[in-house]
C-alpha cells in the first residue's frame, strides 16, 4: 500500500515539471487526491459496500472536480493533470502509465448493463477535452488529441485527432509543386495544417489534387492529339455556333410563331 502511494506521488514529478516538492503534491494536487480516494472506493466497491463507496466518490468529486466511479479499474502510475471536469465511468479500465488531462470523459453510449465504457491500454495519453465513448479499446501508447471524439477502437501507437476521431500520422510529406499549383488553380489551400501533425482530411484532399492534376495533364495531351489530327474547331466556327439563338420551341424560330407572323 505504501509502495503504491509512493509510486503515485513520484509519477507526478515525471509528468509535471511544475511539481516542486512531495508536500506540495500531497496537499495541492487534485489528481492525486482523486486517485487516492478512488483506491479506497474501489476496495469498498469490491467488498460490496457500494453505498459508502459511492458517497465517498461524491465527496471526492466535490473536493477535486474529478468524477471516478468506484467500479472503474485503474492501473499503476496513473496521472491526472489539472483534472477539473474529468469523468471516468463505471466499467472503464485504465492500464498502467496512462495520463488524462482536464475535461476528459471516458463515457458510455448505452443504457444497458454490462461493459459500456472504454478500455485504455498501457501508456495511453488523452488530451484535454477529449471524449472516448463506448466499450472500445485504445491500444498501448496511443495518443488522443485534445477535444477529439473517439467512438471506435484505436490501434497501438496511433495518434487520433478531430471529430470524429481520425488517425493522424507524423510521416507527412511536403506538398508537391503540382499539388500547390492545382490548389491555387481551384482556390483551395490545404496546407495550413502543421506538417508535424497534419489533418488527415487535408492529406486526402492533397491526394485528390494530385489525381486532378494528372487528369488535367492527360486532357491537355488528348486535346493536342485531336487538333493535330484535324479534329479541332477554329474560332470562327465557335463564333457562328454561339451567335445562333437557342430555340426551346416557344421562340420566334418555331413553326407556330412564324405562321402567326405570316
Amino acid at each position: 500500500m505504501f509502495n503504491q502511494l509512493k509510486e503515485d506521488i513520484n509519477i507526478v514529478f515525471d509528468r509535471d515539471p511544475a511539481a516542486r516538492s512531495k508536500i506540495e503534491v500531497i496537499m495541492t494536487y487534485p489528481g492525486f487526491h482523486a486517485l487516492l480516494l478512488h483506491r479506497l472506493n474501489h476496495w469498498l466497491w469490491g467488498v460490496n459496500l457500494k453505498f459508502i463507496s459511492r458517497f465517498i466518490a461524491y465527496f471526492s468529486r466535490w473536493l477535486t472536480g474529478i468524477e471516478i466511479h468506484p467500479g472503474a479499474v485503474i492501473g499503476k502510475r496513473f496521472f491526472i493533470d489539472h483534472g477539473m471536469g474529468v469523468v471516468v465511468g463505471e466499467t472503464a479500465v485504465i492500464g498502467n502509465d496512462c495520463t488524462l488531462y482536464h475535461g476528459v470523459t471516458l463515457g458510455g453510449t448505452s443504457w444497458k448493463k454490462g461493459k459500456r465504457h472504454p478500455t485504455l491500454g498501457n501508456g495511453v495519453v488523452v488530451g484535454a477535452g477529449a471524449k472516448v465513448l463506448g466499450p472500445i479499446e485504445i491500444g498501448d501508447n496511443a495518443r488522443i488529441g485534445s477535444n477529439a471524439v473517439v467512438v471506435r477502437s484505436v490501434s497501438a501507437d496511433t495518434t487520433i485527432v478531430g471529430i470524429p476521431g481520425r488517425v493522424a500520422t507524423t510521416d507527412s510529406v511536403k506538398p508537391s509543386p503540382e499539388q500547390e499549383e492545382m490548389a491555387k488553380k481551384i482556390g483551395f489551400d490545404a496546407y495550413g495544417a502543421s506538417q508535424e501533425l497534419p489533418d488527415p482530411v487535408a492529406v486526402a484532399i492533397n491526394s485528390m489534387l494530385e489525381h486532378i492534376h494528372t487528369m488535367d495533364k492527360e486532357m491537355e495531351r488528348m486535346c493536342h492529339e485531336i487538333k493535330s489530327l484535324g479534329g479541332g474547331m477554329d474560332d470562327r466556327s465557335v463564333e457562328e455556333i454561339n451567335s445562333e439563338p437557342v430555340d426551346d420551341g416557344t421562340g420566334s424560330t418555331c413553326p407556330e410563331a412564324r405562321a402567326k407572323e405570316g
Side-chain angles (χ1 to χ4, degrees):
M1 176 178 167
F2 289 103
N3 288 336
Q4 179 75 70
L5 181 62
K6 184 179 179 181
E7 197 172 49
D8 291 338
I9 294 172
N10 289 337
I11 200 63
V12 175
F13 292 95
D14 292 340
R15 301 184 198 170
D16 185 3
R20 290 171 294 189
S21 66
K22 290 184 179 180
I23 190 66
E24 181 182 51
V25 171
I26 293 171
M27 298 299 295
T28 67
Y29 272 66
F32 172 74
H33 299 152
L35 181 59
L36 191 65
L37 289 169
H38 175 72
R39 304 280 191 207
L40 172 63
N41 291 339
H42 188 65
W43 180 81
L44 292 170
W45 186 266
V47 296
N48 210 32
L49 296 174
K50 291 184 166 49
F51 175 77
I52 297 175
S53 64
R54 286 302 302 268
F55 184 80
I56 297 175
Y58 177 79
F59 170 76
S60 175
R61 184 182 68 168
W62 174 81
L63 178 68
T64 66
I66 299 168
E67 180 172 349
I68 306 177
H69 193 284
V73 177
I74 297 178
K76 298 179 180 179
R77 298 176 295 279
F78 176 59
F79 178 57
I80 303 176
D81 198 359
H82 299 292
M84 181 61 70
V86 168
V87 176
V88 179
E90 177 187 4
T91 61
V93 178
I94 300 175
N96 300 326
D97 302 298
C98 291
T99 302
L100 305 185
Y101 288 85
H102 53 281
V104 167
T105 299
L106 304 183
T109 56
S110 171
W111 290 347
K112 296 180 181 179
K113 292 186 179 296
K115 176 66 173 172
R116 59 190 186 278
H117 297 94
T119 297
L120 273 57
N122 298 326
V124 174
V125 177
V126 186
K131 314 301 176 189
V132 186
L133 307 175
I136 60 177
E137 294 188 5
I138 309 300
D140 294 348
N141 303 311
R143 298 289 184 268
I144 310 299
S146 296
N147 295 316
V149 177
V150 183
V151 293
R152 295 182 180 179
S153 294
V154 175
S155 303
D157 302 303
T158 301
T159 299
I160 302 295
V161 297
I163 304 174
R166 301 181 296 267
V167 176
T169 174
T170 56
D171 299 329
S172 59
V173 180
K174 191 177 186 306
S176 66
E178 291 80 8
Q179 288 178 336
E180 292 179 349
E181 179 187 346
M182 185 56 63
K184 290 177 182 177
K185 184 176 179 180
I186 66 175
F188 174 75
D189 181 10
Y191 315 117
S194 167
Q195 291 299 311
E196 286 74 25
L197 192 62
D199 186 343
V201 173
V203 172
I205 293 177
N206 290 344
S207 299
M208 291 174 60
L209 291 175
E210 180 108 20
H211 182 65
I212 292 170
H213 177 78
T214 303
M215 291 176 62
D216 200 32
K217 290 292 185 184
E218 187 65 19
M219 287 293 294
E220 287 181 8
R221 188 189 66 80
M222 290 173 61
C223 289
H224 179 73
E225 291 293 333
I226 291 171
K227 286 181 180 180
S228 67
L229 295 173
M233 288 192 219
D234 58 22
D235 294 337
R236 187 182 61 185
S237 57
V238 173
E239 246 182 69
E240 290 175 355
I241 291 172
N242 290 339
S243 64
E244 290 291 333
V246 177
D247 187 358
D248 60 358
T250 60
S252 60
T253 58
C254 69
E256 291 81 355
R258 285 199 300 268
K260 287 181 181 178
E261 288 175 1

